[in-house]
Amino acid sequence: MSHPSRFTAFLKLVEGPQTLGKGPKFWSLFALVLLAACIYPQFADSYDVGNNVYFFNWIFMAMGLSLIWGYGGALSFGQTAFFGVAGYAYGVLTINLGDAYGLTLVSLVLAVGISALFAAILGYFLFFGRISGVFLGIVTLSVTLVLERFMAQTAGPQWAIGTARLNGFNGMGAMPSLTIPWPGGAIVLYPDVTLYYATLALLVAVYLGLRILVNSRFGNVIVAIRENPLRAEMLGYDIRKYQLITFVIGSALAGLSGVLYTSWGNYITPASMGMTAASLPIVWVAVGGRSDLTTTLIGALAVLIVFQTLTIYGSQYALVVMGALLVITVLIAPRGIVIALSDLWPARKSKMKGEL
């Protein structure tokens, strides 16, 4: 009797009030999209498959920002800082430890942990110092740019950790890819089919895990804090603690993006923490709809594909279009373009009228 009740409780969390997409139709569509994603590498060349892994890598950062900004109400420009910290940490660890015995997986966990620790220290001073609103965005952007400037000047031979050279603005390279120990021989996750499936599986797990989190009691509290922090505090919740935990989880996901990106390309540069890099996640999340994980995922993936397509004609054109897209979103669909389109869906439209 306990198994059905557990499944029902799980289903309630996955389909809770804080996320769009419920019922057999949604999950049938989800299964079809996932099936198509699984079949795709069988009909695509290795370059296209590796390119899709590149897109997947950034989605973790976008969903982390959705948690911090969309659900928690704290606009952070620090995602690329945690991305860079974890990427460099992975590079230093793997260059020094090597890729045998699953040490790259250990390095992944440690690198994400380092970015989470950095986020916890920064977040403690931010939230327990009662810094909020635009000032939180200014501080996180400042931290990001300071890190970028610092890493850019580490070009000399004295800037080395063990055998790992930081290399300044040229960036760190030659770190090993993620390697899974296996009885018949280690499986190296090069940017092709193997890494594609591993990243896709991790993406689905994180997406479902975040849906459970935001629909849990914790998620309801952080949404309540976003809507009215004073009321939430008067109800007895330590809003600073909830904000800090949300910030650390979202930042750790940015760190996961950094590790996966570094492993994918076997390099990391300070430019990944620059002004342009820091602003792009804001565009991805805003266009899709920051207040929902599904729209964030769809919007970020769509914007990333458009951005890379436009860079063929020049990166300046891509940045101009991204800026224009953000302005259009703010003026016409402030909740996000994907959410605005979903509101036009007949079933959802009728449901919203019934609620009114």
Side-chain angles (χ1 to χ4, degrees):
M1 293 294 291
S2 61
H3 294 296
S5 62
R6 287 179 183 176
F7 178 76
T8 303
F10 170 80
L11 195 61
K12 284 183 178 178
L13 287 176
V14 173
E15 293 196 328
Q18 308 300 349
T19 48
L20 299 177
K22 300 175 178 65
K25 290 184 179 179
F26 173 79
W27 292 110
S28 297
L29 180 60
F30 177 84
L32 286 174
V33 172
L34 183 58
L35 179 61
C38 291
I39 295 174
Y40 169 77
Q42 309 305 319
F43 301 94
D45 59 42
S46 58
Y47 172 81
D48 288 334
V49 172
N51 207 32
N52 277 278
V53 176
Y54 170 84
F55 295 142
F56 290 165
N57 290 342
W58 297 104
I59 302 299
F60 298 97
M61 177 190 288
M63 289 196 295
L65 183 57
S66 174
L67 183 67
I68 296 171
W69 182 27
Y71 288 91
L75 175 58
S76 171
F77 283 88
Q79 289 297 84
T80 49
F82 306 114
F83 174 97
V85 167
Y88 272 98
Y90 175 82
V92 169
L93 288 167
T94 52
I95 289 173
N96 282 284
L97 298 177
D99 57 0
Y101 312 112
L103 287 174
T104 57
L105 300 180
V106 174
S107 298
L108 181 151
V109 174
L110 290 175
V112 173
I114 290 170
S115 69
L117 177 61
F118 177 49
I121 295 171
L122 176 62
Y124 176 83
F125 289 104
L126 288 173
F127 297 111
F128 282 80
R130 299 289 185 177
I131 296 174
S132 61
V134 67
F135 297 104
L136 190 143
I138 292 171
V139 172
T140 52
L141 179 60
S142 300
V143 169
T144 302
L145 297 181
V146 166
L147 278 174
E148 188 264 339
R149 286 291 87 200
F150 173 78
M151 296 307 300
Q153 58 84 44
T154 58
Q158 71 274 21
W159 293 102
I161 303 175
T163 57
R165 289 276 301 272
L166 299 181
N167 291 328
F169 59 86
N170 290 316
M172 179 187 293
M175 62 280 290
S177 300
L178 288 170
T179 305
I180 300 174
W182 205 255
I187 301 173
V188 182
L189 300 181
Y190 294 117
D192 54 21
V193 176
T194 51
L195 184 58
Y196 175 92
Y197 284 124
T199 310
L200 178 62
L202 187 59
L203 183 60
V204 172
V206 169
Y207 168 71
L208 294 176
L210 285 176
R211 283 185 68 108
I212 292 171
L213 178 67
V214 299
N215 286 312
S216 67
R217 179 178 176 275
F218 177 87
N220 291 329
V221 172
I222 63 172
V223 170
I225 293 170
R226 179 195 69 192
E227 296 298 321
N228 194 323
L230 181 59
R231 179 183 294 175
E233 195 165 28
M234 290 178 65
L235 289 172
Y237 295 106
D238 186 346
I239 65 172
R240 299 168 299 177
K241 181 180 71 175
Y242 282 91
Q243 289 172 324
L244 177 59
I245 294 172
T246 304
F247 186 72
V248 170
I249 295 173
S251 302
L253 287 173
L256 179 59
S257 276
V259 173
L260 293 174
Y261 172 83
T262 305
S263 170
W264 171 83
N266 304 115
Y267 69 94
I268 182 76
T269 67
S272 63
M273 295 180 282
M275 175 69 82
T276 301
S279 60
L280 284 177
I282 306 296
V283 179
W284 306 338
V285 175
V287 168
R290 64 182 183 272
S291 60
D292 183 74
L293 293 167
T294 307
T295 57
T296 294
L297 191 154
I298 295 171
L301 192 57
V303 173
L304 279 164
I305 293 171
V306 171
F307 183 81
Q308 190 181 67
T309 303
L310 290 173
T311 53
I312 298 173
Y313 305 100
S315 60
Q316 68 275 17
Y317 298 115
L319 292 174
V320 169
V321 171
M322 290 301 104
L325 190 59
L326 180 60
V327 172
I328 291 170
T329 301
V330 171
L331 294 178
I332 299 177
R335 294 174 60 226
I337 292 176
V338 178
I339 288 182
L341 292 174
S342 72
D343 289 342
L344 299 176
W345 194 263
R348 178 168 164 75
K349 199 171 182 181
S350 61
K351 182 180 177 181
M352 289 176 67
K353 286 182 179 178
E355 290 174 352
L356 292 173

